[in-house]
């Protein structure tokens, strides 16, 4: 399980994604987001391991996740969903992921082929500005965490436009 502090994009803060014991797992460079429309994730040794970048040419909110310099996924918002927002995490080849639930309040699931591969929730913790990401064993934790951050960027952009 990982812990992420929400609403860091408005502040442009750098912060750490931690495990449940509070140990840093990834460092997120939030300052880069405001300057270059991208977010950089670094391992505890400071090496860049992933990037999340907003694609500016798309009609709907679209984000690209790169891991190790290679495109790992493209995250797209569905145009119309009657019961809340939905995003597709399009990975190369088959087995795309779907995010659905109450995305605005950080209460949602990530599924592949109808099976839950991760859950995101604020109710597990009493800290107001923190939510948890619980990734199922055998899944790509880095891809899922980067995708959750892309969703945070999209939701924050929507809040700013309202």
């Amino acid at each position: 399980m990982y812990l992420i502090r929400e609403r860091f994009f408005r502040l442009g803060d750098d912060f750490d994604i931690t495990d449940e014991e509070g140990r840093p797992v990834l460092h997120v460079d939030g300052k880069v987001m405001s300057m270059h429309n991208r977010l950089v994730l670094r391992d505890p040794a400071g090496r860049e391991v992933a990037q999340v970048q907003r694609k500016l040419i798309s009609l709907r909110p679209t984000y690209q996740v790169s891991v190790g310099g290679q495109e790992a996924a493209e995250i797209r918002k569905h145009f119309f969903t009657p019961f809340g927002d939905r995003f597709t995490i399009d990975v190369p080849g088959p087995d795309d992921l779907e995010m659905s639930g109450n995305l605005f309040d950080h209460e949602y699931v990530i599924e592949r082929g109808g099976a839950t591969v991760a859950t995101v929730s604020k109710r597990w913790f009493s800290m107001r500005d923190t939510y948890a990401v619980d990734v199922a064993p055998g899944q790509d934790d880095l891809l899922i965490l980067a995708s959750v951050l892309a969703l945070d960027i999209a939701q924050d952009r929507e809040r700013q436009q309202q």
Side-chain angles (χ1 to χ4, degrees):
M1 185 174 322
Y2 302 95
L3 302 179
I4 299 176
R5 186 184 64 163
E6 69 175 317
R7 294 201 174 116
F8 65 91
F9 294 106
R10 281 194 195 129
L11 303 174
D13 290 342
D14 291 356
F15 73 99
D16 291 322
I17 296 175
T18 64
D19 64 15
E20 44 195 315
E21 281 83 40
R23 293 182 300 251
V25 176
L26 291 171
H27 178 76
V28 180
D29 186 348
K31 291 182 183 79
V32 174
M33 183 63 199
S34 60
M35 294 185 300
H36 303 290
N37 251 343
R38 71 184 167 96
L39 198 60
V40 175
L41 287 76
R42 300 182 188 281
D43 67 13
R47 293 180 296 264
E48 182 177 313
V49 294
Q51 285 188 26
V52 177
Q53 186 162 352
R54 183 169 184 261
K55 292 181 105 176
L56 299 175
I57 57 172
S58 181
L59 295 175
R60 58 185 163 175
T62 303
Y63 297 85
Q64 180 178 339
V65 174
S66 300
V67 174
Q70 301 291 318
E71 184 174 338
E74 186 173 279
I75 298 132
R76 290 183 305 274
K77 183 176 183 176
H78 291 226
F79 273 123
F80 177 74
T81 53
F83 302 107
D85 292 329
R86 292 181 61 88
F87 284 76
T88 295
I89 305 169
D90 183 4
V91 296
D95 298 327
D96 291 344
L97 300 160
E98 295 287 330
M99 293 180 174
S100 63
N102 188 338
L103 305 177
F104 186 75
D105 286 331
H106 293 94
E107 296 292 337
Y108 58 94
V109 297
I110 301 173
E111 297 178 315
R112 176 181 283 128
T116 299
V117 298
T119 56
V120 178
S121 181
K122 285 173 67 172
R123 24 181 185 160
W124 295 333
F125 294 92
S126 60
M127 297 171 279
R128 269 189 334 175
D129 296 334
T130 301
Y131 61 94
V133 180
D134 191 14
V135 181
Q139 299 301 317
D140 185 340
D141 292 29
L142 183 57
L143 173 66
I144 290 172
L145 289 169
S147 298
V148 167
L149 292 175
L151 177 63
D152 263 2
I153 296 168
Q155 296 294 0
D156 195 58
R157 290 184 68 80
E158 280 188 22
R159 279 190 282 261
Q160 288 176 1
Q161 292 173 355
Q162 293 175 352

